[in-house]
Amino acid sequence: MTRSILVGGEMLGWSDLHPVDALSAAGGAAAGALLAAALRPGDSVLVAGPHKLSLITDIASGVASVDVLVRSAPDAEEIAGLLDGTKGQVICGSLDRLTSDDVYDVVVALDGLDRLVGPDTANLTWSGALARLQTRLAPSGRLLLGAANPFGVERFLQPPISAALPRNEDWARDLDDTAPTGRTSLVSTLEAAGLDISRTYAVFPSLVEADVALASVDHLGAVTAARAIAKRNSGPTLMDPYRLVVDAAAAGLAVELAPAWYVVSGDLPDVLPATAVPAGAGVLLEEHLLAALKVDDQAVVRRTITEYVNWLVAQDHPTAAIAAPDNVILDGTSYRLFGDGDPVDAHGEALVVAHLARFARRSLEGGSRQPWPAGGDVRELTARLGSMAGITVTGELLPAPELVRPLGSAEQLATVARLAEELAEANARAILFEGLLSGIRRSRPYRVGHAVLNPARVIVRRARRMLRKVVR
């Protein structure tokens, strides 16, 4: 029977599993996939810190024994009841109060080290907490450690609200109680502590919501990471979340700017979950089209749109229904689906136009450069794209009128600047044309022609009036 043991420093009125204004416990599909790849049936495991209950039960069902260390008394009682009948124990209290000599094959700390202590633990630094966990590892033991990135992509997306209003869990501690900053510093610190680090994963969209973990973030992996970040940051942002991650990956910075990292030892898969990124080469069709628009290469846009539409109409409906440009991979001249997508309830040309409208909307939301005058709406761009594929986009096929603004403040400012520039250019052309027209009117040939033609106009007008009288 699983027991709950108090070791000191426990928190009686706090819950990390069901927080009110703090972070939730660590979890996500990537966390589950990592544990499934790293744990073995004969392992003894220590789960240190708050982890989703589903993760804890999955661990317990696949190993020889599991001990769980949490600082919250209510959490400890809930976990003990959940693991009733499992070999192991639930230890309630701070890491610095743990005095047993037990060692484990695997120490799981995917939530990091910050929540292994309470408000009365003032002298246990991040390095000190790491050292205490290391004493729990068997000589050939494995440590699965999570670490949040204090300078991840969310620093570019959302203002740091916690700077003005700290969470209840952000208790003041010793000034030296800080984690290494940056992935390189993190890995160096762990290696300097004697750990043999074999792999580092970039975690998206956050440490406690680890949907995907990537050993490298490039090409199709960047799209996977960008989707996770965009889904988490669906409200107003400082920059477009999707474009930020894709552009960071193109610059080779996506791993460094990941919201969090997993640092582990052992031979593990490159991508967690393994099916998160489609296999094979290629580029997302949407990115290919946006790249062509950025350099005003309308020939490539026209050719690609035509090829895509021809491929789309040849697919069966379940495939075509989810084959929008942001869910299709272009590999040379062949196309394939990226993954599961939101199906469109339409058929024939209506389905094609719906996918083109989605691309038009996403390009406007991302503030993407286009070779046509700024200020175009979704309906106008959709009709233009449809005409490239030989489709006459009638009113009933077009989406309802809508005002689409760029998602991020930075993209909004860029769009405003572009509109202002085009307006200034149009105004300059109008002034030039007005000057030319005024010059023509003052010229001698114009005045002579006007003098000759004006009497003729008078005669024509009088003749028309007389003719109307006769007809009456």
Side-chain angles (χ1 to χ4, degrees):
M1 178 183 247
T2 301
R3 299 179 299 144
S4 178
I5 303 174
L6 299 179
V7 296
E10 65 276 357
M11 300 169 65
L12 301 178
W14 182 268
S15 173
D16 289 315
L17 293 179
H18 312 288
V20 176
D21 67 341
L23 296 174
S24 61
L34 175 62
L35 293 171
L39 300 181
R40 302 162 188 164
D43 285 337
S44 60
V45 179
L46 171 64
V47 179
H51 294 70
K52 296 288 188 186
L53 295 177
S54 58
L55 288 183
I56 296 175
T57 55
D58 287 345
I59 293 172
S61 65
V63 299
S65 66
V66 57
D67 290 351
V68 181
L69 171 66
V70 290
R71 61 185 181 177
S72 164
D75 292 350
E77 291 297 331
E78 182 176 1
I79 295 171
L82 189 67
L83 298 182
D84 189 25
T86 301
K87 184 177 180 181
Q89 58 190 2
V90 178
I91 307 164
C92 180
S94 299
L95 177 62
D96 58 312
R97 308 293 181 88
L98 187 59
T99 58
S100 70
D101 296 328
D102 295 334
V103 295
Y104 304 87
D105 298 312
V106 183
V107 172
V108 177
L110 298 184
D111 184 69
L113 305 181
D114 292 338
R115 292 197 280 184
L116 294 176
V117 296
D120 59 345
T121 306
N123 297 318
L124 185 62
T125 65
W126 189 92
S127 296
L130 175 65
R132 287 180 178 268
L133 284 185
Q134 284 184 266
T135 64
R136 303 295 164 183
L137 279 174
S140 58
R142 288 154 279 153
L143 174 64
L144 310 181
L145 177 66
N149 182 3
F151 198 76
V153 292
E154 289 199 347
R155 284 283 295 270
F156 302 89
L157 299 177
Q158 302 287 355
I161 299 175
S162 61
L165 185 64
R167 295 186 301 266
N168 282 345
E169 64 177 0
D170 295 331
W171 304 288
R173 299 195 189 127
D174 191 287
L175 293 178
D176 293 331
D177 186 7
T178 58
T181 302
R183 182 182 65 90
T184 301
S185 176
L186 173 65
V187 173
S188 298
T189 301
L190 295 174
E191 291 178 340
L195 290 168
D196 183 15
I197 303 303
S198 63
R199 195 177 297 278
T200 303
Y201 297 96
V203 176
F204 299 89
S206 73
L207 184 62
V208 297
E209 300 175 15
D211 291 337
V212 62
L214 308 175
S216 61
V217 185
D218 52 11
H219 305 300
L220 300 179
V223 175
T224 302
R227 286 182 172 185
I229 292 293
K231 182 179 179 180
R232 176 179 168 84
N233 297 275
S234 58
T237 55
L238 301 178
M239 300 182 70
D240 177 11
Y242 186 94
R243 293 253 53 89
L244 174 62
V245 177
V246 170
D247 292 345
L253 297 174
V255 173
E256 302 298 332
L257 295 177
W261 302 287
Y262 284 160
V263 185
V264 299
S265 62
D267 186 17
L268 299 173
D270 285 340
V271 178
L272 300 170
T275 58
V277 179
V283 63
L284 197 69
L285 175 60
E286 179 182 74
E287 293 302 312
H288 179 73
L289 289 171
L290 291 177
L293 291 176
K294 186 176 181 180
V295 296
D296 292 358
D297 196 338
Q298 297 189 44
V300 169
V301 175
R302 186 179 302 275
R303 182 175 64 252
T304 305
I305 287 292
T306 302
E307 293 173 351
Y308 161 66
V309 170
N310 291 338
W311 171 82
L312 185 64
V313 297
Q315 306 305 305
D316 56 37
H317 186 263
T319 298
I322 60 175
D326 58 297
N327 197 42
V328 169
I329 299 171
L330 171 61
D331 186 5
T333 58
S334 64
Y335 297 83
R336 68 181 189 277
L337 286 178
F338 183 94
D340 296 331
D342 298 326
V344 174
D345 186 16
H347 295 78
E349 287 190 347
L351 175 61
V352 174
V353 172
H355 286 328
L356 295 179
R358 176 178 173 85
F359 171 73
R361 182 181 300 104
R362 285 175 59 86
S363 67
L364 291 174
E365 289 176 343
S368 302
R369 175 73 174 89
Q370 297 175 7
W372 307 293
D377 59 16
V378 173
R379 292 166 62 90
E380 177 185 334
L381 295 180
T382 302
R384 189 186 297 271
L385 294 172
S387 66
M388 293 181 178
I391 299 175
T392 301
V393 184
T394 56
E396 60 271 15
L397 293 178
L398 288 171
E402 59 178 320
L403 179 61
V404 177
R405 297 184 179 91
L407 294 177
S409 299
E411 288 79 15
Q412 290 176 6
L413 291 174
T415 301
V416 169
R418 182 186 172 196
L419 286 170
E421 181 180 351
E422 292 192 0
L423 182 60
E425 292 177 353
N427 187 53
R429 287 195 296 269
I431 294 174
L432 175 62
F433 294 152
E434 181 64 29
L436 292 174
L437 181 59
S438 178
I440 291 173
R441 286 172 175 169
R442 292 194 302 268
S443 68
R444 182 178 180 84
Y446 176 83
R447 293 200 304 269
V448 171
H450 188 270
V452 172
L453 292 176
N454 191 52
R457 294 193 187 99
V458 173
I459 294 173
V460 170
R461 285 197 298 268
R462 289 178 178 177
R464 286 175 177 172
R465 285 198 299 268
M466 292 178 64
L467 179 62
R468 283 196 295 268
K469 290 180 181 180
V470 172
V471 172
R472 290 175 184 173

